[in-house]
Amino acid sequence: MHSKTVFELVQATDHASKMGTNYSSPFTVINGVRQRGVLSPYLFAVYLDELSIQLGSVRVGCIVGNMFANHLMFADDICVFDHSISGLQCLLNICGDYAAENEMTFNCNKTIGVLFYPKRYKQPAPSNIFLNGVRVQFFDQVKYLGVWINASLKVDDDIQRQVKLLQCATNKLRGTFDQCSPAVETLYFVPIACQCMLANCGANTRRPV
């Protein structure tokens, strides 16, 4: 019963393209998972499980605490890392070979890299890292899962960005609660405002609050 339901969600669903207010004729998609589907993240994880096993089987990567790791996966975002250029290229080769064997395509134009380094030992970004024959572009900062990370392993800029967003949200709430009674403001608005001030204080002083 469960396998039949999954099959219907993946295979027995018609799709259509929308341009403005116009829709195309229905068509069937036989590859990939349904966008915004409830089960899509889980099905995609199953689909990429073998790639994770292959990446974990090679002895390249980094020591994180007492654990050996060389990749992170979240939905269709894949992050591979190693302390050497040759090791990083090895991991990218595994990804490229897996994609070719399983009729997948990595968007090489969206594949970017960042070189992390100690502040005193800045190194030029490597120019000989490739994915499927396309050179990987390296940048001083990258956005991964919504968080900006720079090459010096600092997130100060992203913290300031989040604080500004929280301040804007608090100001909107203040306008919303402007006509409420003091009791309602105390119950709902004040705790959020306090969190905003604490976050701002912590970001400016760089000390735990």
Side-chain angles (χ1 to χ4, degrees):
M1 180 63 183
H2 295 294
S3 60
K4 182 180 179 181
T5 302
V6 172
F7 178 81
E8 290 180 351
L9 288 172
V10 176
Q11 297 287 353
T13 304
D14 290 334
H15 300 259
S17 298
K18 180 182 180 182
M19 181 174 292
T21 58
N22 301 317
Y23 290 86
S24 68
S25 301
F27 57 90
T28 302
V29 178
I30 59 176
N31 288 335
V33 294
R34 186 178 181 181
Q35 189 175 12
R36 297 182 180 179
V38 176
L39 293 178
S40 295
Y42 301 97
L43 295 175
F44 195 75
V46 173
Y47 191 66
L48 286 184
D49 188 57
E50 180 60 31
L51 174 59
S52 179
I53 294 175
Q54 291 185 21
L55 290 172
S57 65
V58 294
R59 298 303 299 174
V60 295
C62 303
I63 302 297
V64 182
N66 56 1
M67 180 180 65
F68 182 84
N70 58 20
H71 69 282
L72 296 172
M73 291 183 176
F74 182 82
D76 59 345
D77 284 309
I78 302 175
C79 175
V80 295
F81 44 88
D82 187 66
H83 56 78
S84 67
I85 295 177
S86 59
L88 184 60
Q89 185 62 64
C90 174
L91 297 174
L92 291 176
N93 291 341
I94 293 175
C95 292
D97 294 341
Y98 182 86
E101 294 172 359
N102 293 274
E103 300 181 358
M104 292 175 55
T105 302
F106 284 107
N107 191 337
C108 297
N109 295 325
K110 291 185 177 181
T111 301
I112 59 176
V114 58
L115 176 65
F116 298 104
Y117 53 83
K119 185 176 181 180
R120 298 181 181 179
Y121 302 98
K122 184 176 181 179
Q123 299 291 329
S127 58
N128 55 344
I129 300 293
F130 297 88
L131 174 62
N132 292 337
V134 180
R135 187 166 68 90
V136 176
Q137 299 288 335
F138 276 74
F139 297 89
D140 290 332
Q141 64 176 0
V142 295
K143 188 177 184 181
Y144 184 65
L145 301 182
V147 178
W148 283 98
I149 305 173
N150 59 35
S152 58
L153 293 177
K154 294 183 178 180
V155 292
D156 297 40
D157 294 339
D158 195 67
I159 290 176
Q160 292 292 344
R161 182 180 67 87
Q162 296 291 350
V163 168
K164 290 179 180 179
L165 292 176
L166 185 56
Q167 289 173 334
C168 291
T170 303
N171 290 333
K172 290 181 179 180
L173 284 173
R174 182 178 181 180
T176 302
F177 288 104
D178 189 49
Q179 303 299 324
C180 295
S181 64
V184 174
E185 289 183 354
T186 303
L187 181 62
Y188 294 103
F189 175 70
V190 174
I192 298 176
C194 290
Q195 291 180 13
C196 178
M197 290 186 292
L198 288 173
N200 191 20
C201 179
N204 291 332
T205 62
R206 298 184 184 180
R207 293 193 301 266
V209 178

Coordinates of all heavy atoms in Angstrom, one line a residue, residues 95-171:
C95 N 31.4 12.8 -7.2 CA 30.0 13.4 -7.5 C 29.7 13.4 -9.0 O 28.6 13.0 -9.4 CB 30.0 14.8 -6.9 SG 30.0 14.9 -5.1
G96 N 30.7 13.7 -9.8 CA 30.5 13.8 -11.2 C 30.2 12.4 -11.8 O 29.3 12.2 -12.6
D97 N 31.0 11.4 -11.3 CA 30.8 10.0 -11.8 C 29.4 9.5 -11.4 O 28.7 8.8 -12.2 CB 31.9 9.1 -11.3 CG 33.2 9.4 -11.9 OD1 33.3 10.1 -12.9 OD2 34.3 9.1 -11.3
Y98 N 29.0 9.8 -10.2 CA 27.7 9.3 -9.7 C 26.6 10.0 -10.5 O 25.6 9.3 -10.8 CB 27.5 9.7 -8.2 CG 26.3 9.2 -7.6 CD1 26.1 7.9 -7.1 CD2 25.1 10.0 -7.5 CE1 25.0 7.4 -6.5 CE2 23.9 9.5 -6.9 CZ 23.9 8.3 -6.5 OH 22.7 7.8 -5.9
A99 N 26.7 11.2 -10.8 CA 25.7 11.9 -11.6 C 25.6 11.3 -13.0 O 24.5 11.1 -13.5 CB 26.0 13.4 -11.7
A100 N 26.7 11.0 -13.6 CA 26.7 10.4 -14.9 C 26.0 9.0 -14.9 O 25.3 8.6 -15.8 CB 28.1 10.3 -15.5
E101 N 26.3 8.2 -13.9 CA 25.7 6.9 -13.8 C 24.3 6.9 -13.5 O 23.6 5.9 -13.8 CB 26.5 6.1 -12.7 CG 28.0 5.8 -13.1 CD 28.7 5.2 -11.9 OE1 28.1 5.0 -10.8 OE2 29.9 5.0 -12.0
N102 N 23.7 7.9 -12.8 CA 22.4 7.9 -12.4 C 21.5 9.0 -13.1 O 20.5 9.4 -12.5 CB 22.3 8.1 -10.9 CG 22.9 7.0 -10.1 OD1 22.2 6.0 -9.8 ND2 24.2 7.1 -9.8
E103 N 22.0 9.4 -14.2 CA 21.2 10.4 -15.0 C 20.9 11.7 -14.2 O 19.8 12.2 -14.3 CB 19.9 9.8 -15.6 CG 20.2 8.5 -16.5 CD 18.9 8.0 -17.0 OE1 17.8 8.5 -16.7 OE2 19.0 7.0 -17.8
M104 N 21.8 12.1 -13.5 CA 21.7 13.4 -12.8 C 22.6 14.5 -13.4 O 23.5 14.2 -14.2 CB 22.1 13.2 -11.3 CG 21.2 12.4 -10.5 SD 21.9 12.1 -8.8 CE 22.1 13.8 -8.3
T105 N 22.3 15.7 -13.1 CA 23.1 16.8 -13.6 C 23.4 17.8 -12.5 O 22.5 18.3 -11.8 CB 22.4 17.6 -14.7 OG1 22.1 16.6 -15.8 CG2 23.2 18.7 -15.3
F106 N 24.7 18.0 -12.3 CA 25.1 19.1 -11.3 C 25.2 20.4 -12.1 O 25.7 20.5 -13.2 CB 26.4 18.8 -10.7 CG 26.3 17.7 -9.6 CD1 26.8 16.4 -9.8 CD2 25.8 18.0 -8.4 CE1 26.7 15.4 -8.9 CE2 25.7 17.0 -7.4 CZ 26.2 15.7 -7.6
N107 N 24.6 21.5 -11.5 CA 24.7 22.8 -12.1 C 26.1 23.3 -11.8 O 26.3 23.9 -10.8 CB 23.6 23.7 -11.6 CG 23.5 25.0 -12.4 OD1 24.5 25.4 -13.0 ND2 22.3 25.6 -12.3
C108 N 27.0 23.2 -12.8 CA 28.4 23.7 -12.6 C 28.5 25.2 -12.4 O 29.4 25.7 -11.8 CB 29.2 23.2 -13.8 SG 29.3 21.4 -13.9
N109 N 27.5 25.9 -13.0 CA 27.5 27.4 -12.9 C 27.2 27.8 -11.4 O 27.5 28.9 -11.0 CB 26.5 28.0 -13.8 CG 26.9 27.8 -15.3 OD1 28.1 27.7 -15.6 ND2 25.9 27.6 -16.2
K110 N 26.5 27.0 -10.7 CA 26.1 27.3 -9.3 C 27.0 26.6 -8.3 O 26.9 26.8 -7.1 CB 24.7 26.9 -9.0 CG 23.6 27.8 -9.7 CD 22.2 27.4 -9.3 CE 21.2 28.3 -10.0 NZ 19.8 27.9 -9.5
T111 N 28.0 25.9 -8.8 CA 28.9 25.2 -7.9 C 30.1 26.2 -7.6 O 30.8 26.6 -8.5 CB 29.5 23.9 -8.6 OG1 28.4 23.0 -8.9 CG2 30.5 23.2 -7.7
I112 N 30.2 26.5 -6.4 CA 31.2 27.5 -6.0 C 32.1 26.9 -4.8 O 31.6 26.0 -4.2 CB 30.6 28.9 -5.6 CG1 29.7 28.7 -4.4 CG2 29.9 29.5 -6.8 CD1 29.1 30.0 -3.9
G113 N 33.2 27.5 -4.6 CA 34.1 27.1 -3.5 C 34.6 28.2 -2.7 O 34.5 29.4 -3.1
V114 N 35.1 27.9 -1.5 CA 35.7 28.9 -0.7 C 36.9 28.3 0.0 O 36.8 27.1 0.4 CB 34.7 29.5 0.4 CG1 34.1 28.3 1.2 CG2 35.3 30.5 1.3
L115 N 38.0 29.0 0.1 CA 39.2 28.6 0.7 C 39.3 29.2 2.1 O 39.4 30.4 2.3 CB 40.4 28.9 -0.1 CG 41.8 28.6 0.5 CD1 41.9 27.1 0.6 CD2 42.9 29.2 -0.4
F116 N 39.2 28.3 3.1 CA 39.3 28.8 4.5 C 40.8 28.8 4.9 O 41.5 27.9 4.7 CB 38.5 27.9 5.5 CG 37.0 28.0 5.2 CD1 36.4 26.9 4.5 CD2 36.2 29.0 5.5 CE1 35.1 26.9 4.3 CE2 34.9 29.1 5.2 CZ 34.3 28.0 4.6
Y117 N 41.2 29.9 5.6 CA 42.6 30.0 5.9 C 42.7 30.8 7.2 O 41.9 31.6 7.6 CB 43.4 30.7 4.8 CG 42.8 32.0 4.4 CD1 43.0 33.2 5.1 CD2 41.9 32.1 3.3 CE1 42.4 34.4 4.7 CE2 41.3 33.3 2.9 CZ 41.6 34.4 3.6 OH 41.0 35.6 3.3
P118 N 43.8 30.6 8.0 CA 44.1 31.5 9.1 C 44.4 32.9 8.7 O 44.8 33.1 7.6 CB 45.4 30.8 9.8 CG 45.4 29.4 9.2 CD 44.8 29.5 7.9
K119 N 44.1 33.9 9.5 CA 44.2 35.3 9.1 C 45.6 35.6 8.7 O 45.7 36.4 7.7 CB 43.8 36.1 10.3 CG 43.7 37.6 10.0 CD 43.2 38.4 11.2 CE 43.1 39.9 10.8 NZ 42.7 40.7 12.0
R120 N 46.6 35.1 9.2 CA 48.0 35.4 8.9 C 48.5 34.7 7.7 O 49.6 35.0 7.2 CB 48.9 35.2 10.1 CG 48.5 36.0 11.3 CD 49.5 35.7 12.5 NE 49.2 36.5 13.7 CZ 49.9 36.4 14.8 NH1 50.9 35.5 14.9 NH2 49.5 37.1 15.8
Y121 N 47.8 33.7 7.2 CA 48.3 32.9 6.1 C 47.4 32.8 5.0 O 46.9 31.7 4.5 CB 48.7 31.5 6.6 CG 49.6 31.5 7.8 CD1 49.2 31.3 9.1 CD2 51.0 31.6 7.6 CE1 50.0 31.3 10.2 CE2 51.9 31.6 8.6 CZ 51.4 31.4 9.9 OH 52.3 31.4 11.0
K122 N 46.9 34.0 4.5 CA 46.0 34.0 3.3 C 46.7 33.4 2.1 O 47.8 33.8 1.7 CB 45.5 35.4 3.1 CG 44.5 35.5 2.0 CD 44.0 37.0 1.8 CE 42.9 37.0 0.8 NZ 42.4 38.4 0.6
Q123 N 45.9 32.6 1.4 CA 46.4 31.9 0.2 C 45.6 32.3 -1.0 O 44.4 32.5 -0.8 CB 46.5 30.4 0.4 CG 47.4 29.9 1.6 CD 48.8 30.1 1.2 OE1 49.2 30.0 0.1 NE2 49.6 30.3 2.3
P124 N 46.1 32.3 -2.2 CA 45.3 32.5 -3.4 C 44.4 31.4 -3.6 O 44.7 30.2 -3.3 CB 46.3 32.7 -4.5 CG 47.5 32.0 -4.0 CD 47.6 32.2 -2.5
A125 N 43.2 31.6 -4.1 CA 42.2 30.6 -4.4 C 42.8 29.7 -5.5 O 43.4 30.1 -6.5 CB 40.9 31.2 -4.8
P126 N 42.6 28.4 -5.4 CA 43.0 27.4 -6.4 C 42.3 27.6 -7.7 O 41.1 28.0 -7.7 CB 42.8 26.0 -5.8 CG 41.7 26.3 -4.8 CD 41.9 27.7 -4.3
S127 N 43.0 27.4 -8.8 CA 42.4 27.6 -10.1 C 42.3 26.2 -10.9 O 42.0 26.2 -12.1 CB 43.2 28.6 -10.9 OG 44.5 28.2 -11.1
N128 N 42.6 25.1 -10.2 CA 42.7 23.8 -10.9 C 41.7 22.8 -10.3 O 42.0 21.7 -10.2 CB 44.1 23.3 -10.9 CG 44.7 23.2 -9.5 OD1 44.2 23.8 -8.6 ND2 45.7 22.4 -9.4
I129 N 40.5 23.3 -9.8 CA 39.5 22.4 -9.3 C 38.4 22.4 -10.3 O 37.8 23.5 -10.7 CB 39.0 22.9 -7.9 CG1 40.1 23.0 -6.9 CG2 37.8 22.1 -7.4 CD1 40.7 21.6 -6.5
F130 N 37.9 21.2 -10.7 CA 37.0 21.1 -11.8 C 35.8 20.1 -11.4 O 36.1 19.2 -10.6 CB 37.6 20.5 -13.0 CG 38.7 21.4 -13.6 CD1 40.0 21.4 -13.2 CD2 38.3 22.4 -14.6 CE1 40.9 22.2 -13.7 CE2 39.3 23.2 -15.1 CZ 40.6 23.2 -14.7
L131 N 34.7 20.4 -11.9 CA 33.5 19.5 -11.7 C 33.0 19.2 -13.1 O 32.5 20.2 -13.8 CB 32.4 20.1 -10.8 CG 31.1 19.3 -10.7 CD1 31.4 17.9 -10.1 CD2 30.1 20.0 -9.9
N132 N 33.0 18.0 -13.6 CA 32.6 17.7 -14.9 C 33.3 18.5 -16.0 O 32.6 18.9 -17.0 CB 31.1 17.8 -15.1 CG 30.3 16.7 -14.2 OD1 30.9 15.7 -13.9 ND2 29.1 17.0 -13.9
G133 N 34.5 18.8 -15.8 CA 35.3 19.6 -16.8 C 35.1 21.1 -16.7 O 35.8 21.8 -17.5
V134 N 34.3 21.5 -15.8 CA 34.1 23.0 -15.6 C 34.8 23.5 -14.4 O 34.7 22.9 -13.3 CB 32.6 23.3 -15.5 CG1 32.4 24.8 -15.3 CG2 31.9 22.8 -16.8
R135 N 35.6 24.5 -14.5 CA 36.4 25.0 -13.4 C 35.5 25.6 -12.3 O 34.6 26.4 -12.6 CB 37.4 26.1 -13.9 CG 38.4 26.5 -12.8 CD 39.6 27.3 -13.4 NE 39.1 28.5 -13.9 CZ 39.1 29.7 -13.2 NH1 39.5 29.7 -12.0 NH2 38.7 30.8 -13.8
V136 N 35.8 25.3 -11.1 CA 35.0 25.7 -10.0 C 35.5 27.1 -9.6 O 36.7 27.3 -9.3 CB 35.0 24.8 -8.8 CG1 34.3 25.4 -7.6 CG2 34.5 23.4 -9.1
Q137 N 34.6 28.1 -9.5 CA 34.9 29.4 -9.1 C 35.0 29.5 -7.6 O 34.1 29.0 -6.9 CB 33.9 30.4 -9.6 CG 33.8 30.5 -11.1 CD 35.0 31.2 -11.8 OE1 35.7 32.0 -11.2 NE2 35.2 30.8 -13.0
F138 N 36.0 30.2 -7.1 CA 36.2 30.4 -5.6 C 35.9 31.8 -5.3 O 36.3 32.8 -6.0 CB 37.6 30.0 -5.2 CG 37.8 28.5 -5.0 CD1 37.8 27.7 -6.0 CD2 37.9 28.0 -3.7 CE1 38.0 26.3 -5.8 CE2 38.0 26.7 -3.5 CZ 38.1 25.8 -4.6
F139 N 35.3 32.0 -4.1 CA 34.9 33.3 -3.6 C 35.4 33.5 -2.2 O 35.6 32.5 -1.5 CB 33.4 33.6 -3.7 CG 32.9 33.5 -5.1 CD1 32.5 32.3 -5.7 CD2 32.8 34.7 -5.9 CE1 32.0 32.3 -7.0 CE2 32.3 34.7 -7.2 CZ 31.9 33.5 -7.8
D140 N 35.4 34.8 -1.7 CA 35.8 35.0 -0.3 C 34.7 34.7 0.7 O 35.0 34.5 1.9 CB 36.2 36.5 -0.1 CG 37.5 36.8 -0.9 OD1 38.3 35.9 -1.0 OD2 37.7 38.0 -1.3
Q141 N 33.4 34.6 0.2 CA 32.4 34.2 1.1 C 31.3 33.5 0.3 O 31.1 33.8 -0.9 CB 31.8 35.5 1.8 CG 31.1 36.5 1.0 CD 30.4 37.6 1.8 OE1 30.5 37.6 3.0 NE2 29.8 38.5 1.1
V142 N 30.6 32.6 1.0 CA 29.6 31.8 0.3 C 28.3 31.8 1.2 O 28.4 32.0 2.5 CB 30.0 30.4 0.1 CG1 31.1 30.4 -0.9 CG2 30.4 29.7 1.4
K143 N 27.2 31.6 0.6 CA 25.9 31.5 1.4 C 25.5 30.0 1.3 O 25.2 29.5 0.3 CB 24.8 32.3 0.8 CG 23.6 32.4 1.6 CD 22.6 33.3 1.0 CE 21.3 33.5 1.8 NZ 20.3 34.4 1.2
Y144 N 25.5 29.4 2.5 CA 25.2 28.0 2.6 C 24.0 27.8 3.6 O 24.1 28.2 4.7 CB 26.3 27.1 3.1 CG 26.1 25.6 3.1 CD1 25.8 24.9 1.9 CD2 26.0 24.9 4.3 CE1 25.5 23.6 1.9 CE2 25.8 23.6 4.3 CZ 25.5 22.9 3.1 OH 25.2 21.6 3.1
L145 N 22.9 27.3 3.1 CA 21.7 27.1 3.9 C 21.2 28.4 4.6 O 20.8 28.4 5.7 CB 21.9 26.0 4.9 CG 22.3 24.6 4.4 CD1 22.4 23.6 5.5 CD2 21.2 24.1 3.3
G146 N 21.4 29.5 3.8 CA 20.9 30.8 4.3 C 21.8 31.5 5.2 O 21.5 32.6 5.7
V147 N 23.0 31.0 5.4 CA 24.0 31.7 6.3 C 25.2 32.0 5.5 O 25.8 31.2 4.8 CB 24.4 30.7 7.5 CG1 25.5 31.4 8.3 CG2 23.2 30.4 8.3
W148 N 25.7 33.3 5.6 CA 26.9 33.7 4.9 C 28.1 33.4 5.7 O 28.2 33.7 6.9 CB 26.8 35.2 4.7 CG 25.9 35.6 3.5 CD1 24.6 36.1 3.6 CD2 26.2 35.6 2.1 NE1 24.1 36.3 2.4 CE2 25.1 36.0 1.4 CE3 27.3 35.2 1.4 CZ2 25.0 36.1 0.0 CZ3 27.3 35.3 0.0 CH2 26.2 35.7 -0.6
I149 N 29.0 32.7 5.1 CA 30.3 32.3 5.8 C 31.4 32.9 4.9 O 31.5 32.6 3.7 CB 30.4 30.8 5.9 CG1 29.2 30.2 6.6 CG2 31.7 30.4 6.6 CD1 29.1 28.7 6.6
N150 N 32.4 33.6 5.5 CA 33.5 34.1 4.8 C 34.8 33.2 5.0 O 34.8 32.3 5.8 CB 33.8 35.6 5.1 CG 34.1 35.8 6.6 OD1 34.7 35.0 7.2 ND2 33.7 36.9 7.1
A151 N 35.8 33.5 4.2 CA 37.0 32.7 4.2 C 37.7 32.7 5.6 O 38.5 31.8 5.9 CB 37.9 33.1 3.1
S152 N 37.5 33.7 6.4 CA 38.2 33.8 7.7 C 37.4 33.2 8.8 O 37.7 33.4 10.0 CB 38.5 35.3 8.0 OG 37.3 36.0 8.0
L153 N 36.3 32.5 8.4 CA 35.5 31.7 9.3 C 34.8 32.6 10.3 O 34.5 32.3 11.5 CB 36.3 30.7 10.1 CG 36.9 29.5 9.3 CD1 37.8 28.6 10.2 CD2 35.8 28.7 8.7
K154 N 34.4 33.8 9.9 CA 33.7 34.8 10.7 C 32.3 34.9 10.2 O 32.1 34.9 9.0 CB 34.4 36.1 10.8 CG 35.7 36.1 11.5 CD 36.3 37.5 11.6 CE 37.6 37.5 12.4 NZ 38.2 38.8 12.4
V155 N 31.3 35.1 11.1 CA 29.9 35.3 10.6 C 29.4 36.6 11.2 O 28.2 36.8 11.3 CB 29.1 34.1 11.2 CG1 29.4 32.8 10.5 CG2 29.2 34.0 12.7
D156 N 30.3 37.6 11.4 CA 29.9 38.9 12.0 C 28.9 39.6 11.0 O 27.9 40.1 11.5 CB 31.1 39.8 12.2 CG 32.0 39.2 13.2 OD1 32.2 37.9 13.2 OD2 32.6 39.9 14.1
D157 N 29.2 39.6 9.7 CA 28.3 40.3 8.8 C 26.9 39.6 8.7 O 25.9 40.3 8.7 CB 28.9 40.2 7.4 CG 30.2 41.0 7.3 OD1 30.4 41.9 8.2 OD2 31.0 40.8 6.4
D158 N 26.9 38.3 8.8 CA 25.6 37.6 8.8 C 24.8 37.9 10.1 O 23.6 38.0 10.0 CB 25.8 36.1 8.6 CG 24.5 35.4 8.1 OD1 24.0 35.7 7.0 OD2 24.0 34.6 9.0
I159 N 25.5 38.0 11.2 CA 24.8 38.3 12.5 C 24.2 39.6 12.4 O 23.1 39.8 12.8 CB 25.8 38.1 13.6 CG1 26.2 36.7 13.9 CG2 25.2 38.7 14.9 CD1 27.3 36.5 14.9
Q160 N 25.0 40.6 11.9 CA 24.4 42.0 11.8 C 23.2 42.0 10.8 O 22.2 42.7 11.1 CB 25.5 42.9 11.2 CG 26.6 43.2 12.2 CD 26.2 44.0 13.4 OE1 25.1 44.6 13.4 NE2 27.0 44.0 14.5
R161 N 23.3 41.2 9.8 CA 22.1 41.1 8.8 C 20.9 40.5 9.5 O 19.8 41.1 9.4 CB 22.5 40.2 7.6 CG 21.4 40.1 6.6 CD 21.9 39.3 5.4 NE 22.1 37.9 5.8 CZ 21.1 37.0 5.9 NH1 19.9 37.3 5.5 NH2 21.3 35.7 6.2
Q162 N 21.1 39.5 10.3 CA 20.0 38.9 11.0 C 19.4 39.8 12.1 O 18.2 39.9 12.3 CB 20.4 37.6 11.7 CG 20.9 36.5 10.7 CD 19.7 35.9 9.9 OE1 18.5 36.2 10.2 NE2 20.0 35.1 8.9
V163 N 20.3 40.6 12.7 CA 19.8 41.6 13.7 C 19.0 42.6 13.1 O 17.9 43.0 13.6 CB 21.0 42.2 14.5 CG1 20.6 43.4 15.3 CG2 21.7 41.2 15.4
K164 N 19.4 43.1 11.9 CA 18.6 44.1 11.2 C 17.2 43.6 10.8 O 16.2 44.2 10.9 CB 19.3 44.6 10.0 CG 20.6 45.4 10.3 CD 21.3 45.9 9.0 CE 22.5 46.7 9.4 NZ 23.2 47.1 8.2
L165 N 17.2 42.3 10.4 CA 15.9 41.7 10.0 C 15.0 41.5 11.3 O 13.8 41.8 11.2 CB 16.2 40.3 9.4 CG 16.8 40.3 8.0 CD1 17.1 38.8 7.6 CD2 15.9 41.0 7.0
L166 N 15.6 41.2 12.4 CA 14.9 41.1 13.6 C 14.3 42.4 14.1 O 13.2 42.5 14.6 CB 15.7 40.4 14.7 CG 15.0 40.1 16.1 CD1 13.8 39.2 15.8 CD2 16.0 39.5 17.0
Q167 N 15.1 43.5 13.9 CA 14.7 44.8 14.3 C 13.5 45.3 13.4 O 12.6 45.9 13.9 CB 15.9 45.8 14.2 CG 16.9 45.6 15.2 CD 18.1 46.5 15.0 OE1 18.4 46.9 13.9 NE2 18.8 46.8 16.1
C168 N 13.6 45.0 12.1 CA 12.5 45.3 11.2 C 11.2 44.6 11.6 O 10.1 45.1 11.6 CB 12.9 45.0 9.8 SG 14.2 46.0 9.1
A169 N 11.4 43.3 11.9 CA 10.2 42.5 12.3 C 9.6 43.0 13.6 O 8.4 43.1 13.8 CB 10.6 41.0 12.5
T170 N 10.5 43.5 14.6 CA 10.0 44.0 15.8 C 9.2 45.3 15.6 O 8.2 45.6 16.2 CB 11.2 44.3 16.8 OG1 11.9 43.0 17.0 CG2 10.7 44.8 18.1
N171 N 9.7 46.2 14.7 CA 9.1 47.4 14.4 C 7.7 47.2 13.8 O 6.7 47.9 14.0 CB 9.9 48.3 13.5 CG 11.2 48.8 14.1 OD1 11.1 49.0 15.4 ND2 12.2 49.1 13.4

